[in-house]
Amino acid sequence: MPAVSFVVPAKDEAAYLPDALASIRDQRTDREYEIVVVDGDSDDDTAAIARRYGAAVVDQRDPGIGAARHRGAQAADGEWLAFVDADTAVDPDYLDAMLAFVRENGLAAASSRCRMPGCLRATAMAATINHVFPRLGRPILPGFNCFVRRNAYADVGGFPNVPNEDTAFSRELARRYPTGYHPEALVETSPRRVERLGLTGTLVHYLRLDWRRLRDESPRT
């Protein structure tokens, strides 16, 4: 059994996926780990690229990013699951740093610092994730950078296939288990959504998704 399974959802990500997978492949660790890429019926070379980097490729069964993450978790064998997006690269010491951090602090899950290269809006978004998310009563662990113990993941039912699936998952997980943020481990993720929508537009986008999720979860009378 590998210590860690990296789960990477990807749909038409041929432009970004090589950097993400190279960063995972090149981890400086003696621990066993695996890469699982969940292919969302891509029209490009996503699946072929994944196999070229030694990843196991599984087909996404249901639409939605939550379903893709959960499908990857079901196919993975690791004691710990590291969810990383196809446009996110992790530092070479990410695996060992995150594993040591969660074990030393008795955590069931954690995220870490992120960097979004590019415009000032991207820097501001990264600052929000780095300085606001960890201070919430139930920290939000972004789906592009989420390190979680398998049995805790299973206990809360995994990522739900709803809008803002990572927020919903983080809140439910933190309701039952201790979670946190590694202050030094680092990932670099694409600022493409922020560049397209702007900082305000991106925050509004996620607030709308969260409102829809909460509305859908409200009991019907």
Side-chain angles (χ1 to χ4, degrees):
M1 178 184 293
V4 176
S5 296
F6 284 88
V7 177
V8 185
K11 178 177 174 60
D12 297 329
E13 292 285 8
Y16 287 94
L17 191 58
D19 286 344
L21 296 184
S23 75
I24 298 171
R25 180 199 61 193
D26 296 340
Q27 288 294 290
R28 291 193 290 247
T29 182
D30 293 327
R31 302 180 189 277
E32 293 290 331
Y33 66 98
E34 66 175 354
I35 309 172
V36 178
V37 171
V38 183
D39 179 30
D41 194 24
S42 299
D43 292 322
D44 63 9
D45 292 333
T46 289
I49 291 170
R51 292 188 180 95
R52 196 154 64 235
Y53 280 87
V57 178
V58 296
D59 294 329
Q60 185 171 345
R61 293 172 176 169
D62 301 306
I65 186 64
R69 298 193 203 284
H70 192 57
R71 171 73 173 123
Q74 290 175 317
D77 293 322
E79 177 188 0
W80 291 83
L81 305 172
F83 293 93
V84 176
D85 278 0
D87 61 353
T88 302
V90 298
D91 266 10
D93 298 315
Y94 178 87
L95 188 158
D96 280 351
M98 293 299 287
L99 201 53
F101 179 74
V102 292
R103 287 176 171 173
E104 289 169 4
N105 291 279
L107 302 178
S111 187
S112 72
R113 288 193 307 122
C114 73
R115 179 170 59 225
M116 292 186 184
C119 61
L120 289 176
R121 293 173 295 185
T123 302
M125 187 66 198
T128 300
I129 294 171
N130 292 336
H131 300 293
V132 177
F133 284 13
R135 290 175 170 80
L136 298 174
R138 296 179 187 172
I140 297 174
L141 311 179
F144 67 81
N145 176 23
C146 180
F147 196 91
V148 56
R149 195 172 67 234
R150 168 188 285 282
N151 61 358
Y153 178 89
D155 186 43
V156 300
F159 278 100
N161 201 23
V162 298
N164 259 16
E165 82 296 335
D166 49 1
T167 299
F169 171 72
S170 298
R171 287 173 176 167
E172 180 61 23
L173 187 68
R175 200 169 63 81
R176 306 191 202 183
Y177 293 96
T179 65
Y181 265 69
H182 194 313
E184 297 176 5
L186 181 68
V187 306
E188 181 172 293
T189 193
S190 166
R192 53 184 169 173
R193 175 171 282 123
V194 180
E195 290 178 341
R196 186 174 73 251
L197 299 178
L199 178 60
T200 301
T202 300
L203 293 174
V204 168
H205 168 77
Y206 284 116
L207 286 172
R208 283 175 175 167
L209 289 179
D210 214 26
W211 177 83
R212 283 171 50 199
R213 177 183 62 80
L214 293 172
R215 179 197 63 189
D216 292 343
E217 291 175 357
S218 298
R220 301 292 195 267
T221 57

